[in-house]
Amino acid sequence: MTALRATALLTLAALAAGCQSAEDDTEPAAAPATSASTAPTGTAAPTPSESPSAVTAANTDEVCRAVDKLILTGSKKIVADSADATRDEATNEELDARLKRTLAGLADDVREQASRAEDPQIEALITSTAKQLDAGARSASPVKWMSATFVNIPPKLARECRA
């Protein structure tokens, strides 16, 4: 029982550290858009399809940052809950129940961000993330799920959830 908790705390501490570094990464600023006045005379003006991508890109950045923040905050809560469970000498079942509640709440928060995404690919990515969190909340062993699945969520979001 103590070894399981120690493993859980080490896994979660590493996870929280990984989430923190992902949030601290800064992306270079986008190059300024060229104006229509620089186009040679006689060329067609930009098509209307270019404008929605700029709106989507702005929304994507906002939504992805919100999801990153939710994952980081959720990770910190999980670490704190696990530390509290160890200090309180909670049973494995009590720790599992705490983790499941936190994961279920995190899934709901992430799902809410997915509904805000204007880019269908980003919406699908974030919805998939919420489904993974739901699976963790239903898992028979959320500690094992955390070390096998949850630790992969922040790097995947860092790679794929970008404008």
Side-chain angles (χ1 to χ4, degrees), residues 91-103 137 142:
T91 65
N92 287 339
E93 292 78 19
E94 291 168 333
L95 175 59
D96 285 350
R98 289 180 189 189
L99 291 173
K100 288 179 177 189
R101 280 191 304 271
T102 300
L103 289 170

Side-chain angles (χ1 to χ4, degrees), residues 5-29:
R5 286 193 182 130
T7 301
L9 286 173
L10 289 174
T11 299
L12 297 172
L15 171 66
C19 289
Q20 183 64 47
S21 64
E23 182 182 75
D24 291 341
D25 291 345
T26 57
E27 293 190 32

Side-chain angles (χ1 to χ4, degrees), residues 133-153:
L133 294 167
D134 284 331
R138 291 187 311 268
S139 173
S141 178
V143 171
K144 286 182 183 177
W145 179 88
M146 296 283 299
S147 63
T149 304
F150 188 77
V151 296
N152 297 319
I153 291 174

Side-chain angles (χ1 to χ4, degrees), residues 30-66:
T34 59
S35 71
S37 64
T38 60
T41 307
T43 61
T47 62
S49 65
E50 288 181 21
S51 180
S53 66
V55 172
T56 301
N59 174 265
T60 295
D61 187 52
E62 176 186 329
V63 169
C64 289
R65 286 186 190 276

